[in-house]
Every structure is written in C-alpha cells, then in structure tokens.
Amino acid sequence: MAVIKVSKVQYSGLNFKSFALIDNNGDIRIAPSLFLANLSLNGHSQETISNYSYRLDNFLKVLDDAKLDFINVEQLHIDIYLNKYLNNHLDLEFSSIQGHIACLTRFFKYLYEFGFTSRPNDFIYRVTDNDTGYQIKAKTRKKIKLIEHYLTRERFDELLCYVDSSDDFINERNELILHIGFHMGLRASEVVDKRNLILTKLINKYTGFVVDKIDIIGKGEKLRQVLVPPKLKSKIQSFVDGRRKKIPGNLLICAKDGSPLNKSFASSVFRKVASASRKPYLKSRTFHSLRHTFATNCVIECHKNGHDPWTVLPDRMGHAKKETTLLYVFFEAVLNSRHSLIKKLSVKHKSIFTKNKNISQGIDVGILS
C-alpha cells in the first residue's frame, strides 16, 4: 500500500487535487481513492485530505494483514483496530485516535451512500483506558513516570550484554536496534518502517558513508529530521559493510533474507533482552523507554552546549505540544538538581502544572531504579 498525490481530478470542467491509495500490486484502491477525491470535490483542504489518506492507508494495511476486506468489517474489527492497534500498539494519544475515528466515520458513510456497501455501517467508536477498562471520552494524556523509563548510559551498556544469539547477523542487528532507540529516539514501529531506515537514504551514494541526518516518517505520518550521531554511524557502517553486505533488499533492519520485520519487532527484542538480564529495574522498561531516555539526554546536551531545549526537543522528537517538552525539561532539571530552573519552571508554567498533574506525577525522581 502507498499514498500518491494526484494533481488533476477533472469534474464538471474543473480541476481538483487529491490523493490516491495504491495496493501491494501497484493497483489503485478504487473506493478509498474515490472517497478522497470526493472530499476534494466538496471543498476540504489538501491538509485534511492528506491526513485522511494516510489514516485510511494505515487502516487498510491492518486489514490486509488480517486478510480482511473493508466491506466485511464488523464492530469487533473496529474495536480491535482502535484499542489494540492505535491505542496499545502505536500508543497514540486520544486526540490522534479521534482523527482516525473521524476518517473512518466519513469513509464508511461514503461507502454506503455511493453504493459500495448494501447496508449502513453504524459502528460505535469507543476507546478504553488500558488500566481501568473505562471508555475514554475526553482528551486525556497517559501518565508517564519518566523515572520508571530513564536508563543511564551504564545501564544501557549493561542491557546490551544480554543480546545473545548463536547467529552473528542476528546478534549484531538486534544490538543495532537498541542503539538506534537509544541514540536516535525512534519509536519501535519507526525502526522497521519500510520508508525510514533504508540504505539508499542512509548511505551517501557518492562517498559510500553513512549520512549525518535522515528523514523519518513518524506517528501521524509526520516527517521529522533525525541526527545520526558519530558512534551510531560507525556501528551502522560496520554492519552495512560487514554482515549486512550480502543480504538482499534495501532495508537496514531486516530478516536474514532481506524481508521486512513486523512493527513490534524492536519491542520484542527489548523484552527478550530485558527478560534475559533478570534485572529488577528493567521490569518497568520497554523499547519506548529508550525514546524517553533519548529525549532526556537531548535536554542534558542542550544545557551542556548552550542550546535551547524548547526549540531543539520538539524538532528532534516531532512533539507538537508544549506540555510534552515541559515534561522532559522539568524531569531533567530534577534529575540533575537544577534547583533554580525547577523554581523558574514551576512559576512560569504554573497553569500547565495545575491543569496537567501528569507532569508533576511523572517527575518524582526518588532513587534511580
């Protein structure tokens, strides 16, 4: 599946711009593409249509994996997609899931009104809280206790010691996956996304060396530029020129035959290694903990080099909300006993702390464990 931009949709003597969805065989997905064209004809902005195209593409990919046609979708499938996939697997915020719900609501309404289905699909779109099981009805942010996620450099190095496979290629690949999480802050799904860590983007075609930065397509199909630090560049170069060299395909992180890995593979690598270590402090950690660690370390580097974390962090992480940046800036200040900064942040952002208790609850450092 892929999304392509269509520059000319002709209707009643007028030209419109839209998007089209392409299946794995390179053929146009008729109903979804006509749905997007209909949005354009009805005056929706290109930004809205673009967002809908990627959300719909994501939904159809999941259906393809389940060998299910959108015409045969039932309430159970909607529940699984919203809760198991968007809420649990992708860990989207409720506001982002609402965007997916809006897209699916319009899409299924269109299918019925234009004769693609014989009955209306009046699905109930409900998202439940992972902890309580109650339906989420308002914008709520999941509580993030950074102290339960942050990994010091020493403990990350210790984690690497438990990457153990009898196959040298698998060993080096899995170790590289953890390094990518720690040094680049990628999400698990971003590591194996077939559009991200591809050799033609990572390797400069003129020099043959790993590039300094790379474009990453992340959550909500947002594009951000991510730096590849020197130490990681060296590890990637060694892998590409060594055990990865004779593997077919264009993916950096792949199976031994060059085929893509599933979206949760990076998470499973972390779980397996953490389990093998039997370290109590790793029980609360996941692959996403490496992203939290990267963000915190990014703030530390900003203080060291005189950069503004309020500018750098959203750019590196792809965060849109000020509250998310504040979470890491405040946590780093507590972690490194920046008392004057803590006081300044508490006064300056008092309204945010009052509205969002998640920040103060997530910052209780205590003893690093």
Side-chain angles (χ1 to χ4, degrees), residues 177-182 186-189 191 266-271 285-292:
I177 287 173
L178 298 178
H179 275 289
I180 288 169
F182 187 84
L186 298 196
R187 299 177 178 90
S189 59
V191 174
S267 295
S268 65
V269 168
F270 188 98
R271 282 197 303 270
R285 269 79 173 179
T286 64
F287 185 85
H288 206 76
S289 299
L290 300 178
R291 179 170 164 82
H292 291 312

Side-chain angles (χ1 to χ4, degrees), residues 296-335:
T296 305
N297 288 342
C298 185
V299 178
I300 294 173
E301 287 300 312
C302 284
H303 284 295
K304 282 184 180 179
N305 299 314
H307 298 150
D308 181 10
W310 293 93
T311 302
V312 174
L313 199 58
D315 187 51
R316 298 270 181 88
M317 301 293 290
H319 292 150
K321 294 185 178 180
K322 188 176 183 178
E323 290 92 333
T324 309
T325 302
L326 176 59
L327 178 68
Y328 291 107
V329 171
F330 198 90
F331 174 68
E332 189 278 338
V334 176
L335 190 66

Side-chain angles (χ1 to χ4, degrees), residues 15 26 44 72 139 146 154-155 162 170 176 191 205 210 217-218 224 238 247 255 258 274-275 298 307 313 328 357 367:
N15 291 327
H44 290 275
N72 299 317
K139 289 187 177 181
L146 289 180
E154 293 74 19
R155 285 186 165 172
Y162 293 93
I170 293 176
L176 186 58
V191 174
K205 64 180 180 180
V210 178
I217 300 173
R224 71 182 190 278
S238 176
I247 304 293
S275 176
C298 185
H307 298 150
L313 199 58
Y328 291 107
K357 293 182 180 180
I367 301 172

